[in-house]
Amino acid sequence: MSKILIVYGSSTGNTENIARLITRGLSDAGHDVTLENAANVKAAGLAKGYDAVLMGASVWGDTEIELQDDFDTFFEGVGEMGLENCRLAAFASGERGYEHFCGAVDVIENRGRECGAILMTEGLRLEGDGSDSREEVAAFVEAVLQKL
Ligand SMILES: Cc1cc2nc3c(=O)[nH]c(=O)nc-3n(C[C@H](O)[C@H](O)[C@H](O)COP(=O)(O)O)c2cc1C
């Protein structure tokens, strides 16, 4: 059994629901999953004691990537999160019409790499709240499970 931390930032509930679907998938596979809203936690030391960290958020810029407000504040402290040698995967909700579809995935992956994290799989990018994308969520969960 692995200990997994999932942190999400969500304004209208879409990324939150995706986070819940991922949580259910990993929990059903027998892992100990802690789900945190970025609005309620601080980054410093948060990854300590976990075998893997998953982070997800929406973005709200028009031409620039603007991380969801709560996640943006949380993510400012990502350098102190303790991601060195930690397994990491990213997910997001977005809309395909925007230049940076699910741009949070790129931000989380790039910054995570800089912090010494090891990416487990390609980030999950979905439209809406994931309820119409059960297969993509299941494939993402399976890819994470393979790397635990
Ligand atoms: C002003 C505005 C800017 C947005 N910018 C982006 C964007 O750059 N990329 C993207 O994929 N989605 C963008 N979106 C769509 C939201 O990220 C999307 O609705 C998302 O599902 C919201 O997720 P949340 O409920 O978890 O916050 C934007 C929406 C608005 C209203």
Side-chain angles (χ1 to χ4, degrees), residues 9-16 58-62 68 93-95 98 100-102 128:
S10 182
S11 293
T12 69
N14 287 339
T15 311
E16 176 174 3
S58 52
V59 291
W60 293 88
D62 273 324
Q68 189 271 347
S93 170
E95 287 172 27
Y98 287 94
H100 302 285
F101 174 53
C102 291

PDB file of all heavy atoms in Angstrom, residues 9-16 58-62 68 93-95 98 100-102 128, ligand 1:
ATOM      1  N   GLY A   9      -6.800  22.599  -7.055  1.00  0.00           N
ATOM      2  CA  GLY A   9      -7.387  23.936  -6.973  1.00  0.00           C
ATOM      3  C   GLY A   9      -8.504  24.017  -7.985  1.00  0.00           C
ATOM      4  O   GLY A   9      -8.317  23.674  -9.159  1.00  0.00           O
ATOM      5  N   SER A  10      -9.691  24.454  -7.541  1.00  0.00           N
ATOM      6  CA  SER A  10     -10.865  24.381  -8.406  1.00  0.00           C
ATOM      7  C   SER A  10     -11.835  25.501  -8.057  1.00  0.00           C
ATOM      8  O   SER A  10     -12.173  25.681  -6.895  1.00  0.00           O
ATOM      9  CB  SER A  10     -11.533  23.015  -8.210  1.00  0.00           C
ATOM     10  OG  SER A  10     -12.653  22.870  -9.047  1.00  0.00           O
ATOM     11  N   SER A  11     -12.287  26.245  -9.067  1.00  0.00           N
ATOM     12  CA  SER A  11     -13.206  27.361  -8.797  1.00  0.00           C
ATOM     13  C   SER A  11     -14.665  26.986  -8.968  1.00  0.00           C
ATOM     14  O   SER A  11     -15.520  27.464  -8.224  1.00  0.00           O
ATOM     15  CB  SER A  11     -12.884  28.549  -9.714  1.00  0.00           C
ATOM     16  OG  SER A  11     -11.625  29.083  -9.394  1.00  0.00           O
ATOM     17  N   THR A  12     -14.987  26.151  -9.955  1.00  0.00           N
ATOM     18  CA  THR A  12     -16.398  25.784 -10.171  1.00  0.00           C
ATOM     19  C   THR A  12     -16.645  24.296  -9.916  1.00  0.00           C
ATOM     20  O   THR A  12     -17.724  23.791 -10.209  1.00  0.00           O
ATOM     21  CB  THR A  12     -16.857  26.142 -11.602  1.00  0.00           C
ATOM     22  OG1 THR A  12     -16.198  25.285 -12.542  1.00  0.00           O
ATOM     23  CG2 THR A  12     -16.551  27.584 -11.950  1.00  0.00           C
ATOM     24  N   GLY A  13     -15.641  23.604  -9.394  1.00  0.00           N
ATOM     25  CA  GLY A  13     -15.837  22.215  -9.000  1.00  0.00           C
ATOM     26  C   GLY A  13     -15.401  21.174 -10.007  1.00  0.00           C
ATOM     27  O   GLY A  13     -15.448  19.978  -9.722  1.00  0.00           O
ATOM     28  N   ASN A  14     -14.970  21.595 -11.217  1.00  0.00           N
ATOM     29  CA  ASN A  14     -14.610  20.610 -12.233  1.00  0.00           C
ATOM     30  C   ASN A  14     -13.346  19.831 -11.871  1.00  0.00           C
ATOM     31  O   ASN A  14     -13.342  18.593 -11.857  1.00  0.00           O
ATOM     32  CB  ASN A  14     -14.426  21.295 -13.598  1.00  0.00           C
ATOM     33  CG  ASN A  14     -15.745  21.714 -14.210  1.00  0.00           C
ATOM     34  OD1 ASN A  14     -16.790  21.196 -13.852  1.00  0.00           O
ATOM     35  ND2 ASN A  14     -15.705  22.656 -15.133  1.00  0.00           N
ATOM     36  N   THR A  15     -12.279  20.551 -11.564  1.00  0.00           N
ATOM     37  CA  THR A  15     -11.029  19.859 -11.196  1.00  0.00           C
ATOM     38  C   THR A  15     -11.228  19.089  -9.889  1.00  0.00           C
ATOM     39  O   THR A  15     -10.657  18.006  -9.705  1.00  0.00           O
ATOM     40  CB  THR A  15      -9.874  20.873 -11.047  1.00  0.00           C
ATOM     41  OG1 THR A  15      -9.854  21.720 -12.203  1.00  0.00           O
ATOM     42  CG2 THR A  15      -8.540  20.172 -10.920  1.00  0.00           C
ATOM     43  N   GLU A  16     -12.049  19.634  -9.009  1.00  0.00           N
ATOM     44  CA  GLU A  16     -12.326  18.940  -7.747  1.00  0.00           C
ATOM     45  C   GLU A  16     -12.952  17.575  -8.018  1.00  0.00           C
ATOM     46  O   GLU A  16     -12.566  16.566  -7.429  1.00  0.00           O
ATOM     47  CB  GLU A  16     -13.268  19.772  -6.871  1.00  0.00           C
ATOM     48  CG  GLU A  16     -13.655  19.048  -5.585  1.00  0.00           C
ATOM     49  CD  GLU A  16     -14.458  19.903  -4.628  1.00  0.00           C
ATOM     50  OE1 GLU A  16     -14.784  21.052  -4.963  1.00  0.00           O
ATOM     51  OE2 GLU A  16     -14.745  19.406  -3.525  1.00  0.00           O
ATOM     52  N   SER A  58      -7.299  24.184 -12.513  1.00  0.00           N
ATOM     53  CA  SER A  58      -7.740  24.821 -13.752  1.00  0.00           C
ATOM     54  C   SER A  58      -6.887  26.063 -13.978  1.00  0.00           C
ATOM     55  O   SER A  58      -6.125  26.474 -13.098  1.00  0.00           O
ATOM     56  CB  SER A  58      -9.221  25.208 -13.637  1.00  0.00           C
ATOM     57  OG  SER A  58      -9.438  25.956 -12.450  1.00  0.00           O
ATOM     58  N   VAL A  59      -6.999  26.646 -15.179  1.00  0.00           N
ATOM     59  CA  VAL A  59      -6.360  27.934 -15.451  1.00  0.00           C
ATOM     60  C   VAL A  59      -7.405  28.894 -16.023  1.00  0.00           C
ATOM     61  O   VAL A  59      -8.394  28.468 -16.611  1.00  0.00           O
ATOM     62  CB  VAL A  59      -5.142  27.818 -16.401  1.00  0.00           C
ATOM     63  CG1 VAL A  59      -3.992  27.115 -15.723  1.00  0.00           C
ATOM     64  CG2 VAL A  59      -5.499  27.132 -17.707  1.00  0.00           C
ATOM     65  N   TRP A  60      -7.150  30.180 -15.833  1.00  0.00           N
ATOM     66  CA  TRP A  60      -8.168  31.179 -16.131  1.00  0.00           C
ATOM     67  C   TRP A  60      -7.685  32.357 -16.969  1.00  0.00           C
ATOM     68  O   TRP A  60      -8.406  33.335 -17.116  1.00  0.00           O
ATOM     69  CB  TRP A  60      -8.779  31.689 -14.814  1.00  0.00           C
ATOM     70  CG  TRP A  60      -9.547  30.604 -14.139  1.00  0.00           C
ATOM     71  CD1 TRP A  60      -9.050  29.676 -13.268  1.00  0.00           C
ATOM     72  CD2 TRP A  60     -10.926  30.287 -14.326  1.00  0.00           C
ATOM     73  NE1 TRP A  60     -10.041  28.805 -12.884  1.00  0.00           N
ATOM     74  CE2 TRP A  60     -11.211  29.166 -13.523  1.00  0.00           C
ATOM     75  CE3 TRP A  60     -11.951  30.843 -15.092  1.00  0.00           C
ATOM     76  CZ2 TRP A  60     -12.472  28.591 -13.473  1.00  0.00           C
ATOM     77  CZ3 TRP A  60     -13.209  30.273 -15.027  1.00  0.00           C
ATOM     78  CH2 TRP A  60     -13.461  29.152 -14.229  1.00  0.00           C
ATOM     79  N   GLY A  61      -6.486  32.300 -17.519  1.00  0.00           N
ATOM     80  CA  GLY A  61      -6.017  33.412 -18.353  1.00  0.00           C
ATOM     81  C   GLY A  61      -6.603  33.341 -19.753  1.00  0.00           C
ATOM     82  O   GLY A  61      -7.159  32.322 -20.139  1.00  0.00           O
ATOM     83  N   ASP A  62      -6.500  34.421 -20.528  1.00  0.00           N
ATOM     84  CA  ASP A  62      -6.942  34.370 -21.923  1.00  0.00           C
ATOM     85  C   ASP A  62      -5.782  33.963 -22.818  1.00  0.00           C
ATOM     86  O   ASP A  62      -5.861  32.991 -23.547  1.00  0.00           O
ATOM     87  CB  ASP A  62      -7.520  35.715 -22.357  1.00  0.00           C
ATOM     88  CG  ASP A  62      -8.996  35.780 -22.020  1.00  0.00           C
ATOM     89  OD1 ASP A  62      -9.673  34.740 -22.129  1.00  0.00           O
ATOM     90  OD2 ASP A  62      -9.476  36.848 -21.636  1.00  0.00           O
ATOM     91  N   GLN A  68      -5.525  28.724 -11.230  1.00  0.00           N
ATOM     92  CA  GLN A  68      -6.672  28.957 -10.357  1.00  0.00           C
ATOM     93  C   GLN A  68      -6.167  29.580  -9.045  1.00  0.00           C
ATOM     94  O   GLN A  68      -5.119  29.186  -8.526  1.00  0.00           O
ATOM     95  CB  GLN A  68      -7.373  27.604 -10.118  1.00  0.00           C
ATOM     96  CG  GLN A  68      -8.698  27.681  -9.413  1.00  0.00           C
ATOM     97  CD  GLN A  68      -8.571  27.608  -7.912  1.00  0.00           C
ATOM     98  OE1 GLN A  68      -7.520  27.270  -7.382  1.00  0.00           O
ATOM     99  NE2 GLN A  68      -9.642  27.927  -7.214  1.00  0.00           N
ATOM    100  N   SER A  93      -8.665  20.361 -15.425  1.00  0.00           N
ATOM    101  CA  SER A  93      -9.862  20.561 -16.232  1.00  0.00           C
ATOM    102  C   SER A  93      -9.677  21.848 -17.024  1.00  0.00           C
ATOM    103  O   SER A  93      -9.102  22.816 -16.515  1.00  0.00           O
ATOM    104  CB  SER A  93     -11.095  20.688 -15.332  1.00  0.00           C
ATOM    105  OG  SER A  93     -12.197  21.120 -16.115  1.00  0.00           O
ATOM    106  N   GLY A  94     -10.146  21.876 -18.269  1.00  0.00           N
ATOM    107  CA  GLY A  94     -10.041  23.088 -19.078  1.00  0.00           C
ATOM    108  C   GLY A  94     -10.994  23.042 -20.242  1.00  0.00           C
ATOM    109  O   GLY A  94     -11.885  22.183 -20.309  1.00  0.00           O
ATOM    110  N   GLU A  95     -10.814  23.995 -21.137  1.00  0.00           N
ATOM    111  CA  GLU A  95     -11.631  24.034 -22.356  1.00  0.00           C
ATOM    112  C   GLU A  95     -10.708  24.134 -23.553  1.00  0.00           C
ATOM    113  O   GLU A  95      -9.789  24.955 -23.566  1.00  0.00           O
ATOM    114  CB  GLU A  95     -12.582  25.234 -22.317  1.00  0.00           C
ATOM    115  CG  GLU A  95     -13.721  25.050 -21.342  1.00  0.00           C
ATOM    116  CD  GLU A  95     -14.543  26.317 -21.154  1.00  0.00           C
ATOM    117  OE1 GLU A  95     -14.593  27.150 -22.092  1.00  0.00           O
ATOM    118  OE2 GLU A  95     -15.129  26.468 -20.070  1.00  0.00           O
ATOM    119  N   TYR A  98      -9.216  27.357 -25.618  1.00  0.00           N
ATOM    120  CA  TYR A  98      -8.170  28.258 -25.130  1.00  0.00           C
ATOM    121  C   TYR A  98      -6.798  27.841 -25.632  1.00  0.00           C
ATOM    122  O   TYR A  98      -6.539  26.653 -25.859  1.00  0.00           O
ATOM    123  CB  TYR A  98      -8.176  28.300 -23.596  1.00  0.00           C
ATOM    124  CG  TYR A  98      -9.340  29.063 -23.050  1.00  0.00           C
ATOM    125  CD1 TYR A  98     -10.510  28.404 -22.683  1.00  0.00           C
ATOM    126  CD2 TYR A  98      -9.298  30.449 -22.933  1.00  0.00           C
ATOM    127  CE1 TYR A  98     -11.607  29.106 -22.196  1.00  0.00           C
ATOM    128  CE2 TYR A  98     -10.394  31.160 -22.453  1.00  0.00           C
ATOM    129  CZ  TYR A  98     -11.537  30.478 -22.078  1.00  0.00           C
ATOM    130  OH  TYR A  98     -12.618  31.175 -21.610  1.00  0.00           O
ATOM    131  N   HIS A 100      -3.962  27.715 -24.123  1.00  0.00           N
ATOM    132  CA  HIS A 100      -3.250  26.791 -23.237  1.00  0.00           C
ATOM    133  C   HIS A 100      -4.260  25.836 -22.603  1.00  0.00           C
ATOM    134  O   HIS A 100      -4.692  26.038 -21.465  1.00  0.00           O
ATOM    135  CB  HIS A 100      -2.492  27.557 -22.153  1.00  0.00           C
ATOM    136  CG  HIS A 100      -1.511  28.528 -22.718  1.00  0.00           C
ATOM    137  ND1 HIS A 100      -0.311  28.138 -23.270  1.00  0.00           N
ATOM    138  CD2 HIS A 100      -1.558  29.874 -22.836  1.00  0.00           C
ATOM    139  CE1 HIS A 100       0.341  29.204 -23.697  1.00  0.00           C
ATOM    140  NE2 HIS A 100      -0.390  30.264 -23.447  1.00  0.00           N
ATOM    141  N   PHE A 101      -4.668  24.826 -23.386  1.00  0.00           N
ATOM    142  CA  PHE A 101      -5.659  23.869 -22.875  1.00  0.00           C
ATOM    143  C   PHE A 101      -5.070  23.131 -21.664  1.00  0.00           C
ATOM    144  O   PHE A 101      -4.012  22.500 -21.756  1.00  0.00           O
ATOM    145  CB  PHE A 101      -6.036  22.882 -23.976  1.00  0.00           C
ATOM    146  CG  PHE A 101      -6.938  21.767 -23.516  1.00  0.00           C
ATOM    147  CD1 PHE A 101      -8.123  22.043 -22.850  1.00  0.00           C
ATOM    148  CD2 PHE A 101      -6.596  20.444 -23.758  1.00  0.00           C
ATOM    149  CE1 PHE A 101      -8.962  21.015 -22.422  1.00  0.00           C
ATOM    150  CE2 PHE A 101      -7.432  19.410 -23.342  1.00  0.00           C
ATOM    151  CZ  PHE A 101      -8.608  19.701 -22.668  1.00  0.00           C
ATOM    152  N   CYS A 102      -5.747  23.265 -20.537  1.00  0.00           N
ATOM    153  CA  CYS A 102      -5.271  22.610 -19.301  1.00  0.00           C
ATOM    154  C   CYS A 102      -3.807  22.970 -19.019  1.00  0.00           C
ATOM    155  O   CYS A 102      -2.999  22.099 -18.673  1.00  0.00           O
ATOM    156  CB  CYS A 102      -5.466  21.106 -19.380  1.00  0.00           C
ATOM    157  SG  CYS A 102      -7.194  20.604 -19.334  1.00  0.00           S
ATOM    158  N   GLY A 128     -14.541  19.723 -18.690  1.00  0.00           N
ATOM    159  CA  GLY A 128     -15.604  19.458 -17.727  1.00  0.00           C
ATOM    160  C   GLY A 128     -15.097  18.794 -16.462  1.00  0.00           C
ATOM    161  O   GLY A 128     -13.930  18.921 -16.096  1.00  0.00           O
TER     162      GLY A 128
HETATM  163  C1  LIG B   1     -11.728  33.887 -18.535  1.00  0.00           C
HETATM  164  C2  LIG B   1     -11.489  32.411 -18.647  1.00  0.00           C
HETATM  165  C3  LIG B   1     -10.235  31.969 -19.021  1.00  0.00           C
HETATM  166  C4  LIG B   1      -9.982  30.581 -19.175  1.00  0.00           C
HETATM  167  N1  LIG B   1      -8.742  30.159 -19.605  1.00  0.00           N
HETATM  168  C5  LIG B   1      -8.545  28.843 -19.856  1.00  0.00           C
HETATM  169  C6  LIG B   1      -7.306  28.390 -20.398  1.00  0.00           C
HETATM  170  O1  LIG B   1      -6.368  29.148 -20.649  1.00  0.00           O
HETATM  171  N2  LIG B   1      -7.159  27.059 -20.633  1.00  0.00           N
HETATM  172  C7  LIG B   1      -8.158  26.166 -20.378  1.00  0.00           C
HETATM  173  O2  LIG B   1      -7.961  24.975 -20.649  1.00  0.00           O
HETATM  174  N3  LIG B   1      -9.341  26.558 -19.857  1.00  0.00           N
HETATM  175  C8  LIG B   1      -9.557  27.877 -19.587  1.00  0.00           C
HETATM  176  N4  LIG B   1     -10.756  28.300 -19.063  1.00  0.00           N
HETATM  177  C9  LIG B   1     -11.779  27.282 -18.741  1.00  0.00           C
HETATM  178  C10 LIG B   1     -11.762  26.838 -17.289  1.00  0.00           C
HETATM  179  O3  LIG B   1     -10.452  26.529 -16.847  1.00  0.00           O
HETATM  180  C11 LIG B   1     -12.659  25.593 -17.191  1.00  0.00           C
HETATM  181  O4  LIG B   1     -13.994  26.029 -17.166  1.00  0.00           O
HETATM  182  C12 LIG B   1     -12.406  24.655 -16.049  1.00  0.00           C
HETATM  183  O5  LIG B   1     -13.187  23.490 -16.228  1.00  0.00           O
HETATM  184  C13 LIG B   1     -12.705  25.219 -14.676  1.00  0.00           C
HETATM  185  O6  LIG B   1     -12.319  24.248 -13.720  1.00  0.00           O
HETATM  186  P1  LIG B   1     -12.578  24.410 -12.147  1.00  0.00           P
HETATM  187  O7  LIG B   1     -14.061  24.340 -11.917  1.00  0.00           O
HETATM  188  O8  LIG B   1     -11.893  23.259 -11.547  1.00  0.00           O
HETATM  189  O9  LIG B   1     -11.990  25.702 -11.717  1.00  0.00           O
HETATM  190  C14 LIG B   1     -11.016  29.648 -18.893  1.00  0.00           C
HETATM  191  C15 LIG B   1     -12.286  30.118 -18.505  1.00  0.00           C
HETATM  192  C16 LIG B   1     -12.535  31.479 -18.397  1.00  0.00           C
HETATM  193  C17 LIG B   1     -13.910  31.939 -17.995  1.00  0.00           C
END
